[in-house]
Amino acid sequence: MYYVFFTGTAGSGKTTMVKEFQGYLLDQDMDVAVINMDPAVEGLPYYPDLDVREYVDATEVMRRYGLGPNSSLIASIDLLLTKASEIKGDLDSVEANYVLVDTPGQVELFAYRETGRYFSSLLVGGNKSVNVFLMDSSLAKEARSYVSLLLLSSSVRFKLGMPQVNVLSKVDLLSRDELDALMRWGEGEEIVDHLGVIDEYSFELVKALLENMEVPPVPVSSNSGEGFDELYAEIQRVVAGGEDFA
Ligand code: GDP
Ligand code: MG
């Protein structure tokens, strides 16, 4: 059993990709289950096999503790941990080759908070896992945002300690020229020329970041299905490569 997490900033396309990637795997007769890890989501385009909303209700948490939407999400994930054994029990009935995990928009949960990591390792158990980090194309086409998204991706990679595949999501929104440029940036080329005036610190940081990029972000569109073959191949490479969730 392989766990595939989908993380990224709010609106980067995680939920849509989970739905479409599930369809893609099902079309190839693969056994797929889906977990919704977002306690605050209102409607889902798929039927989750496990849904954290059955254990905590973020709206109820918000009301009861007088919290705003962001803090109620964080509190909800904390509360989920107190129901760990119940969730673990229910998880035992989820049987599939691939388990896709849709995550909340608050990416800070995975970049800065211990709970994101705890809860993920609870789900994964002794299985192999990979984190698909979505870089929204409509943000990434601006050079500084591209670099910032790479830094955020590195933060999540570092904090979560899970093998990771970066994806450039919604590439159908890019023109051919924009996509070509982003592909070259992914290879570490040209991007410095598009950053405008940057100080020495930033220059060295960008250089180190690009040199240490494991694989360039995979261009994907959940709308057209473009890039799903490549994404699947990357996921396979990672899980078959044998790196474990540290
Ligand atoms: P999440 O917040 O990361 O779960 O993002 P959603 O999956 O809810 O998507 C946010 C918005 O982006 C929605 O309006 C989607 O219809 C749209 N979206 C998601 N994937 C794609 C894509 O591949 N192409 C385009 N054009 N729009 C997309
Ligand atoms: Mg979502």
Side-chain angles (χ1 to χ4, degrees):
M1 206 145 104
Y2 300 134
Y3 279 78
V4 186
F5 288 76
F6 292 81
T7 58
T9 51
S12 57
K14 301 176 291 290
T15 298
T16 312
M17 194 170 288
V18 164
K19 175 185 189 288
E20 297 302 329
F21 198 60
Q22 177 190 34
Y24 170 86
L25 294 174
L26 287 173
D27 281 347
Q28 299 177 56
D29 291 327
M30 280 186 256
D31 225 350
V32 193
V34 174
I35 296 178
N36 170 44
M37 198 176 150
D38 189 349
V41 73
E42 280 176 6
L44 288 174
Y46 53 77
Y47 295 102
D49 295 84
L50 188 105
D51 190 340
V52 294
R53 291 177 301 176
E54 304 215 338
Y55 308 89
V56 290
D57 178 347
T59 325
E60 169 66 21
V61 169
M62 205 157 114
R63 213 175 299 124
R64 183 160 6 129
Y65 300 100
L67 299 172
N70 210 42
S71 3
S72 85
L73 180 276
I74 303 295
S76 298
I77 300 283
D78 285 346
L79 282 174
L80 275 178
L81 287 174
T82 67
K83 309 209 169 171
S85 54
E86 193 187 333
I87 296 173
K88 244 191 156 111
D90 294 345
L91 201 61
D92 282 344
S93 64
V94 176
E95 260 305 323
N97 294 338
Y98 289 91
V99 182
L100 311 182
V101 186
D102 190 10
T103 69
Q106 286 82 349
V107 73
E108 67 179 85
L109 195 62
F110 299 98
Y112 310 119
R113 296 199 182 255
E114 224 11 47
T115 41
R117 186 175 143 83
Y118 273 144
F119 193 73
S120 311
S121 65
L122 171 87
L123 291 182
V124 171
N127 298 289
K128 287 203 188 298
S129 61
V130 52
N131 178 32
V132 175
F133 181 84
L134 279 72
M135 299 168 61
D136 190 330
S137 286
S138 50
L139 306 176
K141 66 183 180 184
E142 198 278 310
R144 283 196 186 219
S145 302
Y146 185 93
V147 172
S148 268
L149 283 172
L150 279 184
L151 289 168
L152 180 59
S153 153
S154 304
S155 290
V156 173
R157 169 73 182 85
F158 171 71
K159 176 67 176 165
L160 200 57
M162 198 185 284
Q164 188 162 310
V165 174
N166 287 334
V167 152
L168 207 51
S169 65
K170 311 186 195 175
V171 289
D172 58 284
L173 295 177
L174 298 174
S175 69
R176 188 73 243 173
D177 285 350
E178 286 172 330
L179 180 59
D180 287 347
L182 282 173
M183 297 314 289
R184 289 195 297 274
W185 294 357
E187 300 288 346
E189 294 162 23
E190 291 176 23
I191 189 157
V192 178
D193 307 335
H194 290 89
L195 293 173
V197 181
I198 53 170
D199 54 29
E200 184 65 22
Y201 168 81
S202 303
F203 180 77
E204 293 301 328
L205 181 68
V206 172
K207 220 172 72 179
L209 192 65
L210 295 173
E211 277 168 10
N212 289 298
M213 195 143 60
E214 290 169 311
V215 190
V218 183
V220 173
S221 164
S222 299
N223 276 17
S224 71
E226 173 185 353
F228 276 5
D229 287 341
E230 290 75 14
L231 174 59
Y232 178 67
E234 274 306 314
I235 290 171
Q236 278 304 109
R237 194 183 57 79
V238 170
V239 290
E243 215 181 323
D244 281 329
F245 190 7

